[in-house]
Amino acid sequence: MTGLSKMARVADGAGGAWIRRDRAESGNEHMSTTPPGPAAWRATAAGASASFVGIGLARFAYTPLVPELINAHWFSPSAVAYLGAANLAGYLAGALSARRVGRWLGDRRALRWMMALATLALLACSVPVSVPWFFFWRLASGLAGGVIMVRVAGAVLPYLKGERRGLAGGAIFAGLGVGIAASGTLVPLLLRLGLSRTWAGLAVLCALLTALSWNGWPRPTAPAVPSAPGEGQGRPVRPARLRLLLVEYALISMGLTPAMAFLADFVSRGLGRGSAGSTVWILYGLGALVGPTLYGLLGDRLGFARALLLITLVQAGALAALAAAHSLPEIAVLSVVIGSYPPGVVPVVLGRVHELAGRRPEAQSAAWGRATVAGALSLALSAYLYSYVFARSGQDHRTLFLIGAAALCLALVVGAAARFARVPAVAEEEAAHHIAGVRGASVRE
């Protein structure tokens, strides 16, 4: 019997509770366990499927369909832009309500039913009843995506080994990149069958993945001991830097919106290249495929703060170059680079949030929820801003790209400032107390 086991056996009262609480807060036991029920790889696959269905297809499949929605006279160009923004508004609502939905249904049920809602929304969009009908279902698909984005990491990551947090997060959010790639390759094939059947085909694919991942989610485990009052919330170790990170992520979300929403239309109608818009979107999807894993590994190697600054700098330059580009080869290369960013930045920001929020899963989940809300709010507001500018500027795509590049430059300024943000003394004391507690337990063992 180990020294720690002996202490746990003989400890009584507050001392015993302190030892057990210290072990729980250290996160080592919780992070090294495998998910009860499904294997770890199945839990990761379920997470990737959820991000694929709820965001990868439900949001990004809309972009290559924009020219067809206009050419088929389903909706006017301005209505198509506002309908695209409806998904982002729903995403904000989903991010805001995610914690309540998680408490009400539990993560397993919430993620299952949000995947089902996204599937139903895609099927409903196969019938162009009216603008309000389409708006409602685009809003519903965004709602599902927002809930999935907030809850999926907390449903899977705590049950995986935590040595490579960036890689693990990249694997889960790789579904975003796969969805973007699928929307660029699968959508053009489905469009040969007609616009309505394209929506229906996407819904069938989502229904299949929802069914396959249904039993892949880990079953939640009870905590080792009840948390003391106020302990579950967990004060961030670096709250000032966390607040600046939220601002930085909001600006990043604003910066990635123009290419995400208008790239295919820019090439198809803005440059008059027709079907080349779909080809460019495929290249955008290829970048999205490698983004989460590549950037996650970069975060593991450089640290998430440095990785975030580096990839944002590259993206700001790429977006500014896109605003001045005219040749298809140049746009093709830029599309791969820019496409890696929307899904790739997510595991990097997630890793940085976990660094700043402390070791307790409750605090990490709450902080990631706030970060997702900040990003969702920025996406929703900037989408309507870009739609307004697009309409008022005579559908000038280049103006949108320049605004996005400017937002990323501001994000760089905020990110650099966060590196020098002063850590409040109370937070430093809490971090030192936590480290001392862990070391004390090791010495007593």
Side-chain angles (χ1 to χ4, degrees):
M1 182 178 296
T2 65
L4 184 58
S5 299
K6 292 178 181 178
M7 287 190 65
R9 189 170 182 177
V10 301
D12 188 23
W18 183 85
I19 293 172
R20 292 189 299 270
R21 204 158 51 237
D22 183 45
R23 292 181 65 195
E25 289 175 7
S26 69
N28 294 332
E29 283 190 332
H30 192 59
M31 292 300 296
S32 64
T33 57
T34 55
W41 71 267
R42 288 189 61 194
T44 304
S49 296
S51 63
F52 174 84
V53 170
I55 305 173
L57 282 185
R59 182 195 298 175
F60 291 111
Y62 186 80
T63 301
L65 288 172
V66 166
E68 297 301 325
L69 290 170
I70 296 171
N71 294 334
H73 304 290
W74 276 30
F75 307 106
S76 67
S78 59
V80 167
Y82 281 104
L83 288 171
N87 178 270
L88 299 179
Y91 181 75
L92 172 60
L96 287 170
S97 61
R99 293 189 70 186
R100 182 174 299 179
V101 171
R103 286 196 300 265
W104 179 38
L105 296 176
D107 282 343
R108 297 181 81 211
R109 289 182 180 177
L111 291 166
R112 286 169 173 173
W113 291 113
M114 289 304 105
M115 292 178 71
L117 176 60
T119 301
L120 180 61
L122 288 171
L123 182 61
C125 287
S126 65
V127 184
V129 176
S130 63
V131 171
W133 167 272
F134 218 82
F135 182 92
F136 173 80
W137 287 110
R138 292 301 297 159
L139 189 76
S141 66
L143 176 74
V147 174
I148 288 171
M149 189 69 165
V150 174
R151 305 307 304 181
V152 67
V156 176
L157 281 182
Y159 303 98
L160 305 178
K161 292 184 178 180
E163 293 85 357
R164 304 301 293 273
R165 184 69 63 93
L167 182 60
I172 292 172
F173 291 110
L176 278 70
V178 176
I180 295 173
S183 69
T185 53
L186 184 61
V187 167
L189 294 175
L190 290 174
L191 280 172
R192 298 176 182 176
L193 304 176
L195 198 51
S196 292
R197 291 183 179 179
T198 299
W199 286 106
L202 294 175
V204 169
L205 176 58
C206 290
L208 178 62
L209 287 172
T210 300
L212 290 176
S213 64
W214 195 263
N215 293 320
W217 299 104
R219 296 182 181 89
T221 55
V225 294
S227 298
E231 192 178 58
Q233 298 298 325
R235 181 186 292 127
V237 174
R238 298 179 176 89
R241 292 179 182 176
L242 182 56
R243 286 191 291 269
L244 286 174
L245 178 63
L246 300 186
V247 176
E248 184 181 4
Y249 191 38
L251 290 168
I252 286 173
S253 299
M254 181 179 181
L256 60 83
T257 302
M260 184 175 67
F262 294 98
L263 178 60
D265 191 55
F266 167 60
V267 176
S268 295
R269 297 194 309 118
L271 298 180
R273 300 302 180 96
S275 61
S278 298
T279 303
V280 166
W281 188 250
I282 292 173
L283 296 173
Y284 184 95
L286 290 177
L289 275 175
V290 302
T293 303
L294 177 63
Y295 293 167
L297 286 171
L298 193 65
D300 286 330
R301 288 289 184 89
L302 300 181
F304 293 107
R306 290 181 180 178
L308 186 58
L309 287 175
L310 176 60
I311 63 177
T312 302
L313 176 63
V314 171
Q315 290 300 314
L319 202 55
L322 181 63
H326 290 86
S327 68
L328 278 181
E330 182 182 4
I331 294 173
V333 173
L334 291 172
S335 297
V336 175
V337 176
I338 294 171
S340 67
Y341 194 59
V345 75
V346 175
V348 178
V349 174
L350 175 65
R352 184 57 176 158
V353 165
H354 283 191
E355 285 180 345
L356 297 178
R359 299 174 65 91
R360 283 173 287 196
E362 298 93 338
Q364 292 175 351
S365 178
W368 175 239
R370 290 193 295 272
T372 304
V373 168
L377 179 61
S378 177
L379 282 172
L381 294 178
S382 61
Y384 283 103
L385 170 65
Y386 287 125
S387 298
Y388 175 79
V389 173
F390 186 64
R392 298 287 293 180
S393 64
Q395 301 184 17
D396 184 1
H397 300 84
R398 298 181 189 277
T399 299
L400 306 184
F401 299 149
L402 286 174
I403 295 174
L408 292 179
C409 289
L410 287 176
L412 283 171
V413 173
V414 174
R419 297 291 302 274
F420 302 100
R422 181 176 178 271
V423 180
V426 65
E428 289 178 342
E429 291 174 3
E430 181 184 83
H433 174 74
H434 173 76
I435 294 172
V438 173
R439 289 177 177 171
S442 300
V443 170
R444 288 190 298 271
E445 182 181 357

